[in-house]
Amino acid sequence: MKKTIGISGGIAIIIALIFSVDQDISGCEAAFPDTGLVSYSNVADWIDPTIKKYKKLSRKEGAPKFRVVWHHTATRLDLSASELCRITNDRFSLGCSYVASIHAGGEVIQVNDFNEITASVRLMNSRVISFAFVGNFENKEIPDIMLKAACKIKYSLEKYAELNPDFEIEGFYVHSDFVNTKCAGKVGSKQLRECGLVSN
């Protein structure tokens, strides 16, 4: 399938805009106060330039309602986006396994286009959009600044879907909702549910 810049590029733009707005239009600053600034950068064009496989995002073209899935990397907290991509490519041979990684300093780094198929949820990769919290949150809490960044991502995707009926989101989930896995960690998954970042 030929790469398009329509919906995929539009989602990236709205996320970048919402991360850059000074006002708390998302409610995320109020939900996670005193956590510092979060940031968003898109490095999809250079971090993984060779492995490209695309899915449909447009409902008019037959795309499904998408499930947004939160993961944790089960790695050290300071893992870089490029290291994460190398690990997942070594495992699945399909480049980075997530659209973006969320880091301990509040940085969100987009490593794939939104219409790229990523190896993130077994048998569902053409129907999910996956984000990863960098770190192991089985027994430790996800830092509030990372939750604030995820909150802004959720708000951005919901706002984009509201403004663009050609793109639909079914809901927000953790990886273990679909597969027998501990991802996004026992403690992390509980936090995500409690703070409203998971739909069910």
Side-chain angles (χ1 to χ4, degrees):
M1 181 190 309
K2 185 179 179 182
K3 179 178 175 181
T4 62
I5 59 169
I7 292 174
S8 179
I11 296 171
I13 289 168
I14 198 168
I15 292 177
L17 286 172
I18 287 168
F19 268 77
S20 67
V21 169
D22 287 336
Q23 297 173 323
D24 186 21
I25 60 170
S26 64
C28 299
E29 301 289 341
F32 304 100
D34 304 320
T35 51
L37 295 173
V38 292
S39 64
Y40 173 82
S41 58
N42 184 348
V43 298
D45 286 341
W46 61 264
I47 201 165
D48 189 16
T50 56
I51 301 162
K52 302 287 183 181
K53 187 175 180 182
Y54 298 101
K55 61 193 172 197
K56 294 175 181 176
L57 294 179
S58 166
R59 296 284 285 163
K60 291 176 188 171
E61 295 176 354
K65 292 182 182 179
F66 282 93
R67 295 167 176 179
V68 178
V69 183
W70 306 112
H71 302 255
H72 75 158
T73 61
T75 62
R76 66 182 201 274
L77 199 60
D78 65 349
L79 192 76
S80 71
S82 59
E83 287 175 305
L84 175 59
C85 290
R86 280 196 295 273
I87 290 168
T88 61
N89 187 56
D90 287 348
R91 186 178 301 163
F92 302 114
S93 299
L94 197 60
C96 300
S97 284
Y98 315 102
V99 169
S101 49
I102 304 168
H103 297 262
E107 305 90 359
V108 176
I109 302 176
Q110 184 181 332
V111 293
N112 280 309
D113 292 324
F114 281 86
N115 61 339
E116 286 188 47
I117 292 178
T118 62
S120 60
V121 181
R122 185 168 52 90
L123 303 178
M124 293 178 58
N125 292 317
S126 64
R127 295 180 285 142
V128 299
I129 296 172
S130 289
F131 296 89
F133 294 95
V134 174
N136 190 331
F137 303 108
E138 179 64 19
N139 299 306
K140 294 181 180 179
E141 289 192 343
I142 301 170
D144 277 359
I145 195 165
M146 296 174 83
L147 294 174
K148 180 165 76 173
C151 176
K152 290 199 168 196
I153 291 169
K154 182 176 185 285
Y155 177 84
S156 302
L157 289 168
E158 290 174 334
K159 183 58 65 176
Y160 186 84
E162 178 187 320
L163 297 171
N164 297 274
D166 196 31
F167 173 76
E168 274 189 81
I169 295 172
E170 179 181 310
F172 293 78
Y173 305 88
V174 291
H175 189 188
S176 59
D177 286 334
F178 306 111
V179 179
N180 185 17
T181 177
K182 293 182 177 182
C183 188
K186 181 179 179 181
V187 174
S189 295
K190 183 173 182 283
Q191 278 182 281
L192 292 166
R193 294 184 199 284
E194 288 176 347
C195 68
L197 290 172
V198 172
S199 301
N200 56 339

